[in-house]
Amino acid sequence: VRITAALAFDNRAPLRTEAIEISEPASDEVVVRIVASGICHTDLTVLDHSPLPWPAVLGHEGAGRVTAIGSSVTTVGVGDPVATTFNSCGICVNCAQGFPAQCLNFTAVNMSGGRRTDGSCSHSIEGKPVFAAFLGQSSFATHAVMKARSVVRIPEDFPLELAAPLGCGIQTGAGGVLNTLRPRPGSSIAIFGAGAVGLSALMAAKAAGCTTLVAIDRSASRLKLANELGATHTFEAKDDVANAIRSVSGGGVNYSIEAAGAPSAMQQAIESLAVRGSALLLGIAPGTRISIDPMMLQRQSLTVKGMMMTEGTPRVFIPKLIELFRAGLLPYDRLVRYYDFSDINSAIADARSGVAIKPIIRMA
Ligand SMILES: [Zn+2]
Ligand SMILES: [Zn+2]
């Protein structure tokens, strides 16, 4: 099948929209007509730094409709509206226990490039392979062929263009709070980084009943938005912000989340905690280190944890995120800015500059 995809030809190069071919779905795969795709900072990190075999199709926050299914697929049918998310093997011990984002084969199944175990390729251009199935999806295209495990059926009456970022950014931020930290009502939380992940965490923390919600960011406009979404205190990112957080939270917060991808913020997220507090590190900061005083952890019974994507099953959690949105408890449409598919390079530029918190490109 002939499709249109935004192809990356090199690190940091602009994407070029071109016609490529996708194969028929294998028995465990589906074809999705992509209606919209979010742009996530992981797309940009990979585009800038990863030595991929070019050309490549990125994009891992898709939504659309199923147009074809493989012979063994039973979870979705042709015509179903779906959000698309990461892939997982389905058989390892973590998949079996309901933690597919912690799949022991995560890299193998999410960075396969679209090469199947029989050696065939899902995507090609003029007979040559195109690197695809990126994080299970490659959603910067009009269509994608992917494993059925990567698609989650969503309600017929939910807007597909708004469903796109549920598969990564919103799932990560809200999941970090609702599935991992599980804060007690009346507790306090500090969130470092008011991007799509941090603000999703903030909304989820408010929905979960946190009553002291502190947001920290470099951008005054993002802190203003954090206020509107429920932050009770906001601070500009600076060296002594942990002291300020401790002073407004009665000696420290019960929970903290780092979603800025900055080692200094990770350090501060730990230093802001109250006795028995928990810090969750979600930001991506490859090649960096942080230093932790073990005596501080011991004296204060602190927990420091890392996580990617979510600790839960997308097929369970994504419909819950939609319910929270509909109940007015997760108004993540406030983070979204839409772009036409042909303007994908402007959307990427706005994601880099911070002009757009969650850019979503629309294919149709
Ligand atoms: Zn992502
Ligand atoms: Zn697995």
Side-chain angles (χ1 to χ4, degrees), residues 41-358:
H41 278 277
T42 303
D43 294 309
L44 309 185
T45 305
V46 169
L47 178 60
D48 289 351
H49 302 293
S50 291
L52 292 182
W54 312 107
V57 186
L58 300 176
H60 63 283
E61 290 186 347
R65 275 185 196 276
V66 176
T67 59
I69 62 171
S71 57
S72 69
V73 172
T74 55
T75 46
V76 287
V78 171
D80 281 355
V82 292
T84 65
T85 189
F86 60 87
N87 191 16
S88 53
C89 80
I91 49 176
C92 75
V93 64
N94 287 346
C95 281
Q97 291 183 97
F99 298 97
Q102 288 71 41
C103 174
L104 298 179
N105 301 301
F106 190 89
T107 304
V109 300
N110 282 287
M111 295 298 281
S112 68
R115 209 169 265 281
R116 305 186 181 99
T117 45
D118 67 1
S120 65
C121 286
S122 58
H123 292 56
S124 61
I125 184 165
E126 289 158 5
K128 296 190 200 96
V130 170
F131 185 91
F134 170 65
L135 282 169
Q137 305 175 52
S138 287
S139 56
F140 293 166
T142 55
H143 299 73
V145 53
M146 64 182 81
K147 299 295 176 191
R149 286 185 62 79
S150 276
V151 307
V152 176
R153 199 186 187 293
I154 61 168
E156 186 63 51
D157 57 351
F158 192 74
L160 282 168
E161 58 186 22
L162 195 55
L166 292 173
C168 181
I170 312 302
Q171 176 167 239
T172 301
V177 171
L178 300 174
N179 294 335
T180 299
L181 291 178
R182 298 172 179 267
R184 293 176 303 280
S187 59
S188 53
I189 187 166
I191 292 163
F192 292 77
V197 171
L199 291 172
S200 299
L202 176 76
M203 291 182 269
K206 188 181 176 210
C210 289
T211 45
T212 300
L213 301 113
V214 189
I216 304 95
D217 199 277
R218 286 205 199 105
S219 152
S221 65
R222 289 193 178 201
L223 291 179
K224 184 169 171 286
L225 180 57
N227 268 135
E228 290 167 17
L229 294 173
T232 55
H233 304 79
T234 57
F235 294 108
E236 222 172 288
K238 55 177 189 287
D239 289 347
D240 60 347
V241 75
N243 288 330
I245 293 167
R246 281 198 301 269
S247 75
V248 299
S249 59
V253 284
N254 302 120
Y255 306 96
S256 63
I257 284 189
E258 199 281 343
S264 57
M266 294 179 184
Q267 204 91 41
Q268 291 163 346
I270 299 166
E271 290 163 6
S272 305
L273 291 173
V275 175
R276 297 196 69 236
S278 297
L280 178 63
L281 310 184
L282 299 176
I284 309 291
T288 62
R289 324 280 293 178
I290 57 171
S291 74
I292 294 175
D293 171 5
M295 282 300 294
M296 182 181 72
L297 295 194
Q298 292 155 352
R299 254 188 257 114
Q300 303 187 31
S301 280
L302 303 183
T303 303
V304 179
K305 187 170 161 51
M307 195 273 283
M308 271 182 165
M309 296 289 185
T310 183
E311 290 185 299
T313 307
R315 204 173 293 161
V316 175
F317 192 51
I318 287 176
K320 282 191 185 174
L321 294 174
I322 290 175
E323 289 302 313
L324 286 166
F325 174 82
R326 285 175 158 170
L329 295 169
L330 191 74
Y332 72 92
D333 55 331
R334 299 283 310 274
L335 318 181
V336 164
R337 183 183 289 215
Y338 290 109
Y339 298 80
D340 289 338
F341 190 22
S342 57
D343 292 330
I344 187 167
N345 287 308
S346 318
I348 287 173
D350 286 355
R352 288 189 197 283
S353 70
V355 166
I357 295 177
K358 175 50 69 185

